[in-house]
Amino acid sequence: MRIADLAAKRVAVWGFGREGRAAIRAIRAQLPQLPLALYCSESEADAARAFDATLTVYGQEPGSVALCAYDVVVKSPGISAYKPAVTTAQAQGTTFTSGTALWFAENPGARVIAVTGTKGKSTTTAFIAHLARALGVRTALAGNIGLPLLELQGQSADLWAIELSSFQTGEAGALELGVVTSLYEEHLDWHGSRERYVADKLKLADVSRTLLVNGQQAHLLERTAAHPHRLLFGTLEGWHVADGAIRRGEQAVFDIHAMAAPGLHNALNACAALAALETLGYDAVKAAPALADFRPLPHRLQPLGMHDGLAWINDSISTTPLATLAALDSLAGREVTVIVGGHDRGLDWSDFVRAAKDRTDLRIVTQGANGPRIAQALRAAKAVVPLGEAEDFADAVTMARTVTPAGGVVLLSPGAPSFDQFKDYAERGRRFAELAGFAVETIGIDGLGIR
């Protein structure tokens, strides 16, 4: 469905975040006279009316009866497609679309690399854009990474590096290359079950002419085996990490210690990006040196700097225990205090406990809604790792500062979402930086948009 197809239809936008605002602007640019309703929170209603005085604004969540009154609802990605009100309205004939779906319909000829994955999708997408630009390719960096596609509607690029969340993979149109970086348990509250999450994530395969996947994940390989044009990264035959280098087959291409983004997982993300560019015919070997000046994304193992004699690292994007383990692995050999805990989705922390309980160079500070459960699991395992239980987030940072030896690292890698205390992981990361003593305004994503 293109924006022009909304003409003469009853249309509502659901959500007044950045995606919702981008959708309103794009619709108004083509259909300025179209009556348009908006559903948002009560606290957003006045701002919405000021944003566009022609909107009919409802400061409430719509139920099925309200949704059935519209031919088309443009839904923000954070609103689950499996909500009873949505499925009921769909059964009665209401069509649900999104900013992502509208952009793909408007731009069928765009050359797109779309990236998804439980972890690594943002960094991989940013790597693709950074490396392509190093080759002189006019590249767009957009999508779930922080810039809605519709904000770039009408602009041109030679290559589109687009991040898609599991909420968006089913909304993409046909594209040249899809990349799946990893597949773990995540967002079960939105999808309803692990199996549905996996199925939704892999909807990207259905629209990708060529599919590039992480060859180190057996489950991902099994689930994508039927794709007619599947390629792998992370295996010895292609782009992979071995002996301290990013390699293309047997050829050592780039020393991973020269990467600005630390950790073996980021080196693997770089392999995904290089393999993606090579798949589309670009000279990935020539692009690889640009990995040295890639600025790590905020909240993803982001080095904030030294303060009070300690190194502070913001990994607020970490929302699973496995992501926290990956962060700790990237800091092997250093004295680390890790702050864990947040919104409790009932995920299993046993792998984390087994890996961490006997480390002598690690201290753990628990906080947040699931902090007590993590602490109890460590105690039950008779962990020797020093353990602190904080009353709140600020107390956790103070405690970490106190117990970390001089020259050591304070790592925020919660392994859980932020919703028990913060709006999102970015707000949590900014608060961490502020409490650590750093200027919050310096935290941002480089390279969004078209360059």
Side-chain angles (χ1 to χ4, degrees):
M1 176 183 292
R2 300 188 61 176
I3 293 174
D5 297 328
L6 301 177
K9 287 184 169 61
R10 297 167 297 171
V11 179
V13 174
W14 187 1
F16 190 62
R18 192 165 181 178
E19 288 274 354
R21 295 193 297 273
I24 293 167
R25 290 191 191 98
I27 293 169
R28 281 285 178 252
Q30 291 194 37
L31 302 171
Q33 303 303 318
L34 179 71
L36 196 59
L38 171 70
Y39 286 86
C40 61
S41 68
E42 183 178 1
S43 62
E44 294 171 320
D46 288 341
R49 294 184 183 100
F51 175 78
D52 185 338
T54 69
L55 291 171
T56 300
V57 177
Y58 299 95
Q60 62 191 40
E61 179 172 312
S64 58
V65 174
L67 294 172
C68 286
Y70 301 98
D71 300 309
V72 179
V73 175
V74 183
K75 181 180 69 63
S76 291
I79 300 163
S80 174
Y82 302 106
K83 291 175 73 75
V86 174
T87 56
T88 298
Q90 281 178 319
Q92 297 299 315
T94 300
T95 296
F96 287 83
T97 188
S98 67
T100 300
L102 290 172
W103 184 87
F104 272 96
E106 293 287 323
N107 299 274
R111 192 172 208 198
V112 172
I113 300 176
V115 183
T116 196
T118 308
K119 294 300 171 188
K121 59 185 178 294
S122 296
T123 295
T124 299
T125 310
F127 269 143
I128 290 170
H130 179 75
L131 293 168
R133 289 164 178 168
L135 295 174
V137 180
R138 180 173 168 82
T139 305
L141 176 61
N144 187 65
I145 194 170
L147 180 64
L149 286 164
L150 283 181
E151 287 198 19
L152 300 178
Q153 177 55 26
Q155 300 184 45
S156 63
D158 297 324
L159 178 66
W160 291 78
I162 296 173
E163 180 194 338
L164 297 177
S165 73
S166 59
F167 310 157
Q168 299 169 312
T169 44
E171 300 169 347
L175 53 94
E176 190 165 355
L177 178 62
V179 181
V180 185
T181 60
S182 61
L183 201 58
Y184 302 110
E185 192 173 277
E186 180 82 298
H187 297 307
L188 303 192
D189 48 352
W190 194 98
H191 297 274
S193 70
R194 183 184 188 282
E195 181 56 34
R196 186 184 281 166
Y197 166 74
V198 171
D200 284 345
K201 203 73 164 169
L202 294 181
K203 285 178 180 177
L204 182 64
D206 299 335
V207 295
S208 299
R209 186 184 313 159
T210 301
L211 185 68
L212 177 66
V213 303
N214 185 344
Q216 298 183 2
Q217 290 201 317
H219 179 60
L220 180 56
L221 292 175
E222 178 185 349
R223 291 297 298 258
T224 58
H227 195 282
H229 302 290
R230 188 188 70 175
L231 302 174
L232 308 181
F233 69 92
T235 59
L236 295 178
E237 298 78 15
W239 288 93
H240 68 284
V241 183
D243 301 323
I246 291 174
R247 296 176 177 269
R248 182 182 182 273
E250 296 182 356
Q251 177 188 7
V253 175
F254 190 83
D255 183 347
I256 64 172
H257 299 102
M259 288 184 60
L264 287 175
H265 64 294
N266 274 328
L268 188 61
N269 291 335
C271 289
L274 291 162
L277 290 173
E278 186 170 85
T279 298
L280 266 59
Y282 298 107
D283 189 341
V285 173
K286 182 179 178 181
L291 292 170
D293 57 19
F294 173 82
R295 181 183 173 190
L297 299 187
H299 317 297
R300 297 158 177 85
L301 274 179
Q302 178 192 18
L304 296 174
M306 297 293 296
H307 202 277
D308 298 328
L310 305 173
W312 298 79
I313 298 179
N314 169 22
D315 192 39
S316 184
I317 191 71
S318 160
T319 56
T320 68
L322 287 175
T324 301
L325 281 179
L328 290 175
D329 287 344
S330 75
L331 297 168
R334 301 182 68 178
E335 292 287 339
V336 178
T337 301
V338 61
I339 299 172
V340 299
H343 173 64
D344 195 347
R345 292 180 300 177
L347 296 185
D348 184 2
W349 280 78
S350 58
D351 287 344
F352 173 86
V353 170
R354 280 192 293 271
K357 73 184 189 73
D358 296 322
R359 286 184 57 164
T360 58
D361 57 355
L362 178 66
R363 288 146 297 277
I364 297 174
V365 176
T366 63
Q367 59 89 41
N370 67 349
R373 185 164 68 85
I374 300 168
Q376 176 56 35
L378 287 161
R379 286 194 295 268
K382 296 181 171 54
V384 299
V385 59
L387 174 66
E389 297 181 65
E391 294 182 2
D392 55 31
F393 190 75
D395 184 43
V397 175
T398 298
M399 188 177 295
R401 178 186 278 112
T402 301
V403 303
T404 305
V409 178
V410 178
L411 168 68
L412 171 66
S413 188
S418 59
F419 308 130
D420 59 330
Q421 301 168 81
F422 301 97
K423 180 181 70 173
D424 54 25
Y425 72 84
E427 183 180 63
R428 177 171 61 187
R430 288 191 294 269
R431 180 60 175 153
F432 174 70
E434 181 181 54
L435 290 168
F438 295 93
V440 176
E441 59 269 17
T442 63
I443 297 179
I445 296 177
D446 276 352
L448 291 176
I450 299 174
R451 297 183 185 179

